[in-house]
Amino acid sequence: MLPHPSSSTPGIAPADYIAGLGKGLAVLECFDTERQRLNATLAAERAGLTRAAARRHLLTLAHLGYLESDGHHFWLTPKVLGLSGAYLASARLPRTVQPVLNRLSAMAAYSFSAAILAGSETVVIARSTAQEGAQQLYAHGVHLGSRMPAHAASTGLVLLAALSDKALDEWLACRRLHRLTLHTLTQPEELRAFLAQVRAQDYCIAQEGHELGVQAIAVPLRNSAGETVAALNAVMSAQRMSAQALERQMLPLLRDAAQELRPLL
């Protein structure tokens, strides 16, 4: 849904807000693994625009080379990768975390990632996979820049647990907790209780909440001021390792990595 600027928007006055740019980016963000092709009606529903406005933005993005079209549906072009590539090349957080992720995968032969909270979702900003011959499991379709519902992902649950009570209330007030599997937390009070547990133990084990057969363990990544800036997780098959073994074997690795990264973030 398109955010509405107000006088309370941090860092910008209403007069400085370019509504057209905000709407265009909202349309661009409508595309994901579930909706790889959109028409004007679907884009309007997802971005919170009128159909006519969505159509104009789709046509403009296509003219600029960010979308292709068959005259009815639109889809992303490789030019979009230039935006994410510029972020990954210039942002400090991914560049700082990536070597540690690579080392963890070499040591433990699992997939590791770092993610940040962006609205309703977590966004993968760095990841590494197991070396050839070891377990290559990673949640279906997950790659750099992937977005996952925060309430269903181990990293998202860690990041939500780091929010203040007021911030969590505001986050829950304007969101529906969609069900992805039978194990997804979809009731606000159920989620609050689980987040309280995550906050108390300072880590999260998420079992098949995002995808059946996949489990993950995550810890917060904090900076030197103690602020949670991201989350670090390990992903593996739910059949290959029990939750107890996951906690025993992987949690120390993740915590050591988080401690190593803390003065660098």
Side-chain angles (χ1 to χ4, degrees):
M1 183 66 68
L2 183 68
H4 180 71
S6 67
S7 57
S8 62
T9 300
I12 189 171
D16 294 327
Y17 182 80
I18 303 176
L21 178 59
K23 292 175 182 178
L25 292 173
V27 170
L28 200 59
E29 291 176 351
C30 289
F31 296 88
D32 55 29
T33 54
E34 295 180 0
R35 293 288 186 178
Q36 299 173 8
R37 295 188 175 218
L38 296 174
N39 57 24
T41 299
L42 289 171
E45 291 175 357
R46 301 198 100 195
L49 302 171
T50 65
R51 185 184 182 281
R55 178 178 176 275
R56 290 196 299 273
H57 287 293
L58 288 168
L59 290 172
T60 300
L61 289 165
H63 174 72
L64 294 173
Y66 291 103
L67 300 178
E68 289 185 4
S69 175
D70 58 7
H72 183 61
H73 287 88
F74 296 80
W75 56 92
L76 297 175
T77 71
K79 187 174 181 179
V80 174
L81 294 174
L83 301 176
S84 59
Y87 167 73
L88 294 172
S90 62
R92 184 167 173 265
L93 182 57
R95 289 186 290 114
T96 302
V97 171
Q98 190 63 56
V100 176
L101 298 184
N102 293 342
R103 190 176 74 245
L104 286 171
S105 284
M107 291 170 55
Y110 288 105
S111 297
F112 293 82
S113 69
I116 59 173
L117 185 65
S120 299
E121 301 167 312
T122 58
V123 181
V124 177
I125 53 94
R127 63 162 293 195
S128 65
T129 55
Q131 301 298 313
E132 185 176 357
Q135 189 185 26
Q136 296 284 343
L137 177 75
Y138 209 83
H140 176 70
V142 172
H143 50 79
L144 284 177
S146 287
R147 292 173 174 264
M148 292 177 284
H151 69 286
S154 63
T155 50
L157 292 166
V158 162
L159 293 167
L160 290 176
L163 297 178
S164 66
D165 290 339
K166 180 181 179 182
L168 181 59
D169 288 342
E170 293 174 350
W171 190 90
L172 286 168
C174 57
R175 289 172 175 86
R176 290 184 58 194
L177 305 178
H178 296 286
R179 182 177 297 281
L180 281 75
T181 75
L182 292 175
H183 306 284
T184 308
L185 299 173
T186 59
Q187 299 303 315
E189 291 312 309
E190 181 184 32
L191 179 62
R192 287 180 190 275
F194 187 80
L195 293 178
Q197 178 184 342
V198 171
R199 191 178 300 116
Q201 65 191 21
D202 209 30
Y203 70 92
C204 170
I205 294 180
Q207 295 180 295
E208 303 184 276
H210 178 259
E211 181 179 340
L212 292 176
V214 177
Q215 65 177 349
I217 182 169
V219 300
L221 286 178
R222 297 187 176 95
N223 60 20
S224 56
E227 301 165 329
T228 298
V229 297
L232 173 66
N233 81 343
V235 182
M236 63 214 54
S237 166
Q239 288 73 40
R240 178 162 177 170
M241 185 181 293
S242 67
Q244 293 76 16
L246 184 65
E247 181 180 2
R248 184 174 62 253
Q249 297 179 29
M250 305 305 298
L251 183 58
L253 291 177
L254 292 173
R255 282 182 164 166
D256 286 348
Q259 188 64 30
E260 175 187 347
L261 287 165
R262 184 165 183 162
L264 306 176
L265 300 179

